[in-house]
Amino acid sequence: MKKDLLSLKLLSNEEIIDILETARDFRDNGLKLDLSDKIIANLFFENSTRTQYSFMTAEEKLNAKVLHFNAQGSSISKGETFYDTVKVFESFGCDAVVIRSSQNEYYNELKNLNCAIINAGDGTENHPTQNLLDLLTIYDEFGHFDGLKIMIVGDILHSRVAHGSVEVMKRLGMKCFISGPKEFMDDTAAYIDFDEGVKTMDVIMMLRIQTERHAVLTTLSDKEYNTKYGMNEERVAKMKDNAIIMHPAPFNRGVEVDNYVPECPKSRIFRQMTNGVYVRMAVIKRSIGD
Ligand code: CP
């Protein structure tokens, strides 16, 4: 029975922990799964490096057969719609479609598809596999979620990572805060002053300013942004001993993170990318492998 993954918010706490444990089994405990009888289509209508290629890596590790759709070279240029494009791959008999689109909740257009939909990011709303790899990174570090304090810093307004995860993090017992320029703040979580948060949080998640999603909203130059809201060596030194830095990436060096940060001892940014492969293996297993 196929299972979609559309939004983290649609998963129970138990389902989330189950996916994280399965990801760990793939990563740490030698779990193997052979999906050589399955076909997955990766349909990226928006640019991506991490999500697209970690899905490919996960699919390779599971021996699935994979179709890589290239939006630029497709019949979209001839006027074919998003819906009709996805229907092509359903018609081919694909078992799952992995979709990224800049349209919020695009999956509402795709009701009753005969293949599993795995959401690889929609507009400013959801990015469930990123949310799950973030949770795995936190779970690995602390062994639990209850009472942990997280501050998400930057362009909250346009962040599918923040919008898709805070409600669930709260449901898992975390205390969530946001910080950054006021023009990028919304009601996703309580606001906290950045430098106050640097000293008190367990997890600090930095975000990129998503210029592709808006005309310039801030009057701050990159240098001014870096001075006010950038993570740097001086701020890292003020963090709690066991606190960690995360970033969904891509990150902009010299803006929200200084060169020192991505590979400093408190950074888990590249660990997040590694965890992304195993979380996506677990998500594919849940969708078409059980
Ligand atoms: N974190 C993330 O979604 O990165 P990509 O846009 O490169 O996939």
Side-chain angles (χ1 to χ4, degrees):
M1 169 87 169
K2 73 172 181 82
K3 273 192 194 154
D4 296 334
L5 178 68
L6 306 180
S7 166
L8 196 70
K9 294 172 211 169
L10 297 174
L11 299 182
S12 67
N13 290 3
E14 291 70 29
E15 285 175 296
I16 290 169
I17 299 295
D18 194 49
I19 292 171
L20 303 189
E21 293 294 356
T22 304
R24 280 179 161 177
D25 284 343
F26 278 122
R27 189 190 63 193
D28 304 332
N29 300 327
L31 177 63
K32 301 275 182 230
L33 178 66
D34 181 51
L35 295 182
S36 51
D37 60 338
K38 305 287 187 194
I39 304 177
I40 303 174
N42 292 342
L43 311 180
F44 280 71
F45 296 87
E46 188 193 78
N47 293 346
S48 164
T49 298
R50 263 148 301 279
T51 312
Q52 180 170 203
Y53 290 92
S54 68
F55 264 111
M56 282 169 64
T57 308
E59 291 153 352
E60 288 280 337
K61 283 177 178 278
L62 295 169
N63 294 324
K65 295 183 174 62
V66 185
L67 305 179
H68 302 291
F69 168 74
N70 175 8
Q72 270 78 39
S74 76
S75 288
I76 288 175
S77 65
K78 303 172 196 166
E80 192 158 49
T81 65
F82 169 75
Y83 176 81
D84 291 333
T85 302
V86 178
K87 288 293 283 184
V88 171
F89 292 89
E90 180 200 41
S91 309
F92 290 166
C94 291
D95 297 282
V97 285
V98 175
I99 301 179
R100 170 171 289 191
S101 166
S102 55
Q103 185 185 322
N104 284 354
E105 299 181 358
Y106 64 78
Y107 42 79
N108 290 332
E109 267 192 54
L110 303 174
K111 297 251 190 308
N112 304 320
L113 223 54
N114 274 327
C115 51
I117 302 170
I118 300 177
N119 184 3
D122 64 274
T124 58
E125 292 302 306
N126 298 285
H127 197 347
T129 57
Q130 177 71 45
N131 302 146
L132 286 162
L133 74 88
D134 292 342
L135 289 176
L136 178 58
T137 306
I138 295 168
Y139 198 41
D140 282 343
E141 195 69 33
F142 298 97
H144 66 95
F145 298 106
D146 202 30
L148 292 177
K149 289 197 267 186
I150 182 168
M151 171 174 67
I152 307 179
V153 185
D155 184 2
I156 308 294
L157 198 58
H158 303 95
S159 172
R160 55 174 71 131
V161 174
H163 294 155
S165 66
V166 165
E167 184 185 312
V168 173
M169 285 177 172
K170 287 180 183 169
R171 204 207 298 152
L172 289 166
M174 294 181 71
K175 296 183 169 57
C176 302
F177 301 87
I178 57 173
S179 193
K182 65 178 182 324
E183 54 272 37
F184 290 139
M185 297 297 100
D186 60 18
D187 61 1
T188 297
Y191 177 83
I192 187 167
D193 171 77
F194 179 49
D195 281 300
E196 179 61 28
V198 164
K199 290 184 278 184
T200 55
M201 295 291 128
D202 301 296
V203 180
I204 301 178
M205 185 184 287
M206 307 302 293
L207 298 178
R208 180 177 62 89
I209 302 174
Q210 290 158 100
T211 44
E212 75 276 20
R213 300 204 193 290
H214 51 82
V216 177
L217 271 186
T218 181
T219 53
L220 295 176
S221 66
D222 286 354
K223 183 151 184 8
E224 287 166 332
Y225 187 95
N226 179 261
T227 302
K228 286 190 168 183
Y229 304 107
M231 185 56 78
N232 54 31
E233 190 166 359
E234 195 185 341
R235 287 188 169 119
V236 171
K238 292 180 181 160
M239 290 172 61
K240 286 165 64 173
D241 284 349
N242 296 328
I244 59 170
I245 301 163
M246 295 171 59
H247 194 313
F251 46 81
N252 289 127
R253 292 176 187 262
V255 187
E256 76 273 14
V257 289
D258 277 13
N259 262 335
Y260 167 78
V261 172
E263 293 176 82
C264 77
K266 286 192 175 298
S267 169
R268 297 294 176 270
I269 296 173
F270 291 103
R271 181 84 57 83
Q272 287 172 265
M273 296 180 204
T274 303
N275 283 340
V277 171
Y278 298 100
V279 155
R280 287 170 178 125
M281 290 174 77
V283 164
I284 294 167
K285 178 177 183 295
R286 172 183 175 273
S287 283
I288 58 171
D290 280 337

